[in-house]
Amino acid sequence: MPEIRFQIELPDGSQEVCYSPSLIVKDYFTSGSEYALTDFIDRSRTALNIASDRVRAKYGRPCGLALGQLAQIEAMASKYSDVTKPKVRLLKFIE
């Protein structure tokens, strides 16, 4: 399976590199685009669950890395609960 990483900028300006075991994230995000934090989480949840399901279909078990990445994104989001209209920018895909 082709894996991919994507670099994001968080509401406080810090940056993170995220992982997906599938290119499906390219169907949900566009390089250079900005997303409301809740939209970013929803898109991440959908894309990473699909990616994990693809791994399960091929290897018989879900992808722990994809599910772990989703857990990190959800934990990160909680840090910005007091920010008004927080945004996340997808800076680039790293293939």
mmCIF file of all heavy atoms in Angstrom, residues 74-93:
data_model
loop_
_atom_site.group_PDB
_atom_site.id
_atom_site.type_symbol
_atom_site.label_atom_id
_atom_site.label_comp_id
_atom_site.label_asym_id
_atom_site.label_seq_id
_atom_site.Cartn_x
_atom_site.Cartn_y
_atom_site.Cartn_z
ATOM 1 N N GLU A 74 -7.037 13.967 17.398
ATOM 2 C CA GLU A 74 -8.147 14.273 18.303
ATOM 3 C C GLU A 74 -7.637 14.872 19.619
ATOM 4 O O GLU A 74 -8.228 15.817 20.154
ATOM 5 C CB GLU A 74 -8.980 13.022 18.546
ATOM 6 C CG GLU A 74 -9.753 12.604 17.312
ATOM 7 C CD GLU A 74 -10.440 11.265 17.419
ATOM 8 O OE1 GLU A 74 -10.035 10.426 18.262
ATOM 9 O OE2 GLU A 74 -11.394 11.055 16.661
ATOM 10 N N ALA A 75 -6.525 14.364 20.137
ATOM 11 C CA ALA A 75 -5.937 14.915 21.363
ATOM 12 C C ALA A 75 -5.430 16.333 21.126
ATOM 13 O O ALA A 75 -5.612 17.216 21.975
ATOM 14 C CB ALA A 75 -4.804 14.016 21.855
ATOM 15 N N MET A 76 -4.803 16.553 19.974
ATOM 16 C CA MET A 76 -4.313 17.879 19.622
ATOM 17 C C MET A 76 -5.458 18.879 19.584
ATOM 18 O O MET A 76 -5.343 20.005 20.049
ATOM 19 C CB MET A 76 -3.606 17.807 18.266
ATOM 20 C CG MET A 76 -3.288 19.132 17.600
ATOM 21 S SD MET A 76 -4.589 19.869 16.564
ATOM 22 C CE MET A 76 -4.903 18.631 15.351
ATOM 23 N N ALA A 77 -6.591 18.466 19.054
ATOM 24 C CA ALA A 77 -7.737 19.364 18.908
ATOM 25 C C ALA A 77 -8.220 19.878 20.255
ATOM 26 O O ALA A 77 -8.653 21.035 20.361
ATOM 27 C CB ALA A 77 -8.858 18.647 18.179
ATOM 28 N N SER A 78 -8.121 19.061 21.274
ATOM 29 C CA SER A 78 -8.601 19.474 22.590
ATOM 30 C C SER A 78 -7.804 20.650 23.149
ATOM 31 O O SER A 78 -8.310 21.407 23.981
ATOM 32 C CB SER A 78 -8.585 18.302 23.555
ATOM 33 O OG SER A 78 -7.257 17.906 23.839
ATOM 34 N N LYS A 79 -6.586 20.832 22.691
ATOM 35 C CA LYS A 79 -5.750 21.950 23.149
ATOM 36 C C LYS A 79 -6.296 23.301 22.697
ATOM 37 O O LYS A 79 -5.941 24.333 23.253
ATOM 38 C CB LYS A 79 -4.325 21.812 22.619
ATOM 39 C CG LYS A 79 -3.569 20.623 23.122
ATOM 40 C CD LYS A 79 -2.194 20.619 22.492
ATOM 41 C CE LYS A 79 -1.456 19.339 22.751
ATOM 42 N NZ LYS A 79 -0.156 19.332 22.073
ATOM 43 N N TYR A 80 -7.134 23.292 21.667
ATOM 44 C CA TYR A 80 -7.604 24.539 21.069
ATOM 45 C C TYR A 80 -9.079 24.800 21.345
ATOM 46 O O TYR A 80 -9.718 25.594 20.666
ATOM 47 C CB TYR A 80 -7.329 24.527 19.562
ATOM 48 C CG TYR A 80 -5.865 24.319 19.273
ATOM 49 C CD1 TYR A 80 -5.388 23.091 18.843
ATOM 50 C CD2 TYR A 80 -4.945 25.340 19.493
ATOM 51 C CE1 TYR A 80 -4.036 22.883 18.606
ATOM 52 C CE2 TYR A 80 -3.590 25.140 19.269
ATOM 53 C CZ TYR A 80 -3.151 23.917 18.826
ATOM 54 O OH TYR A 80 -1.807 23.712 18.603
ATOM 55 N N SER A 81 -9.612 24.175 22.385
ATOM 56 C CA SER A 81 -11.034 24.334 22.695
ATOM 57 C C SER A 81 -11.386 25.761 23.107
ATOM 58 O O SER A 81 -12.533 26.182 22.971
ATOM 59 C CB SER A 81 -11.450 23.352 23.787
ATOM 60 O OG SER A 81 -10.705 23.591 24.963
ATOM 61 N N ASP A 82 -10.405 26.525 23.580
ATOM 62 C CA ASP A 82 -10.673 27.901 23.991
ATOM 63 C C ASP A 82 -10.359 28.925 22.896
ATOM 64 O O ASP A 82 -10.512 30.120 23.101
ATOM 65 C CB ASP A 82 -9.875 28.231 25.252
ATOM 66 C CG ASP A 82 -8.370 28.124 25.055
ATOM 67 O OD1 ASP A 82 -7.938 27.431 24.111
ATOM 68 O OD2 ASP A 82 -7.630 28.731 25.848
ATOM 69 N N VAL A 83 -9.939 28.464 21.717
ATOM 70 C CA VAL A 83 -9.616 29.359 20.605
ATOM 71 C C VAL A 83 -10.883 29.597 19.783
ATOM 72 O O VAL A 83 -11.612 28.669 19.453
ATOM 73 C CB VAL A 83 -8.510 28.743 19.711
ATOM 74 C CG1 VAL A 83 -8.248 29.599 18.486
ATOM 75 C CG2 VAL A 83 -7.237 28.537 20.513
ATOM 76 N N THR A 84 -11.147 30.851 19.448
ATOM 77 C CA THR A 84 -12.298 31.191 18.630
ATOM 78 C C THR A 84 -12.005 30.863 17.171
ATOM 79 O O THR A 84 -11.009 31.318 16.619
ATOM 80 C CB THR A 84 -12.624 32.697 18.759
ATOM 81 O OG1 THR A 84 -12.819 32.991 20.134
ATOM 82 C CG2 THR A 84 -13.873 33.057 17.967
ATOM 83 N N LYS A 85 -12.844 30.047 16.581
ATOM 84 C CA LYS A 85 -12.733 29.644 15.174
ATOM 85 C C LYS A 85 -11.327 29.149 14.802
ATOM 86 O O LYS A 85 -10.684 29.676 13.891
ATOM 87 C CB LYS A 85 -13.157 30.780 14.255
ATOM 88 C CG LYS A 85 -14.605 31.179 14.414
ATOM 89 C CD LYS A 85 -15.013 32.238 13.431
ATOM 90 C CE LYS A 85 -16.471 32.597 13.643
ATOM 91 N NZ LYS A 85 -16.924 33.629 12.728
ATOM 92 N N PRO A 86 -10.837 28.103 15.482
ATOM 93 C CA PRO A 86 -9.499 27.586 15.168
ATOM 94 C C PRO A 86 -9.451 26.970 13.768
ATOM 95 O O PRO A 86 -10.421 26.358 13.310
ATOM 96 C CB PRO A 86 -9.270 26.526 16.245
ATOM 97 C CG PRO A 86 -10.640 26.096 16.654
ATOM 98 C CD PRO A 86 -11.512 27.309 16.503
ATOM 99 N N LYS A 87 -8.327 27.150 13.104
ATOM 100 C CA LYS A 87 -8.123 26.646 11.741
ATOM 101 C C LYS A 87 -6.874 25.774 11.689
ATOM 102 O O LYS A 87 -5.924 25.984 12.431
ATOM 103 C CB LYS A 87 -7.933 27.808 10.758
ATOM 104 C CG LYS A 87 -9.035 28.827 10.744
ATOM 105 C CD LYS A 87 -10.164 28.375 9.871
ATOM 106 C CE LYS A 87 -11.188 29.499 9.755
ATOM 107 N NZ LYS A 87 -12.322 29.106 9.009
ATOM 108 N N VAL A 88 -6.908 24.823 10.781
ATOM 109 C CA VAL A 88 -5.754 23.982 10.490
ATOM 110 C C VAL A 88 -5.478 24.105 8.996
ATOM 111 O O VAL A 88 -6.398 24.009 8.182
ATOM 112 C CB VAL A 88 -6.007 22.499 10.854
ATOM 113 C CG1 VAL A 88 -4.833 21.624 10.445
ATOM 114 C CG2 VAL A 88 -6.291 22.365 12.348
ATOM 115 N N ARG A 89 -4.233 24.335 8.644
ATOM 116 C CA ARG A 89 -3.847 24.436 7.235
ATOM 117 C C ARG A 89 -3.060 23.177 6.853
ATOM 118 O O ARG A 89 -2.133 22.797 7.566
ATOM 119 C CB ARG A 89 -2.996 25.658 6.978
ATOM 120 C CG ARG A 89 -2.572 25.815 5.512
ATOM 121 C CD ARG A 89 -1.735 27.052 5.283
ATOM 122 N NE ARG A 89 -2.374 28.267 5.744
ATOM 123 C CZ ARG A 89 -3.258 28.966 5.015
ATOM 124 N NH1 ARG A 89 -3.602 28.552 3.813
ATOM 125 N NH2 ARG A 89 -3.792 30.054 5.498
ATOM 126 N N LEU A 90 -3.446 22.558 5.747
ATOM 127 C CA LEU A 90 -2.652 21.457 5.226
ATOM 128 C C LEU A 90 -1.583 22.079 4.331
ATOM 129 O O LEU A 90 -1.898 22.637 3.293
ATOM 130 C CB LEU A 90 -3.506 20.468 4.428
ATOM 131 C CG LEU A 90 -2.693 19.198 4.174
ATOM 132 C CD1 LEU A 90 -3.493 17.967 4.515
ATOM 133 C CD2 LEU A 90 -2.167 19.142 2.787
ATOM 134 N N LEU A 91 -0.357 22.046 4.799
ATOM 135 C CA LEU A 91 0.729 22.704 4.082
ATOM 136 C C LEU A 91 1.136 21.941 2.828
ATOM 137 O O LEU A 91 1.283 22.515 1.757
ATOM 138 C CB LEU A 91 1.934 22.894 4.995
ATOM 139 C CG LEU A 91 1.669 23.775 6.221
ATOM 140 C CD1 LEU A 91 2.861 23.757 7.156
ATOM 141 C CD2 LEU A 91 1.325 25.201 5.793
ATOM 142 N N LYS A 92 1.358 20.612 2.995
ATOM 143 C CA LYS A 92 1.788 19.835 1.832
ATOM 144 C C LYS A 92 1.695 18.352 2.129
ATOM 145 O O LYS A 92 1.662 17.925 3.288
ATOM 146 C CB LYS A 92 3.215 20.186 1.440
ATOM 147 C CG LYS A 92 4.259 19.828 2.487
ATOM 148 C CD LYS A 92 5.644 20.233 2.048
ATOM 149 C CE LYS A 92 6.673 19.940 3.144
ATOM 150 N NZ LYS A 92 8.018 20.286 2.719
ATOM 151 N N PHE A 93 1.652 17.583 1.064
ATOM 152 C CA PHE A 93 1.759 16.138 1.141
ATOM 153 C C PHE A 93 3.214 15.772 0.949
ATOM 154 O O PHE A 93 3.926 16.391 0.159
ATOM 155 C CB PHE A 93 0.912 15.465 0.047
ATOM 156 C CG PHE A 93 -0.559 15.634 0.260
ATOM 157 C CD1 PHE A 93 -1.291 16.521 -0.505
ATOM 158 C CD2 PHE A 93 -1.211 14.909 1.249
ATOM 159 C CE1 PHE A 93 -2.653 16.690 -0.299
ATOM 160 C CE2 PHE A 93 -2.579 15.066 1.460
ATOM 161 C CZ PHE A 93 -3.298 15.956 0.680
#
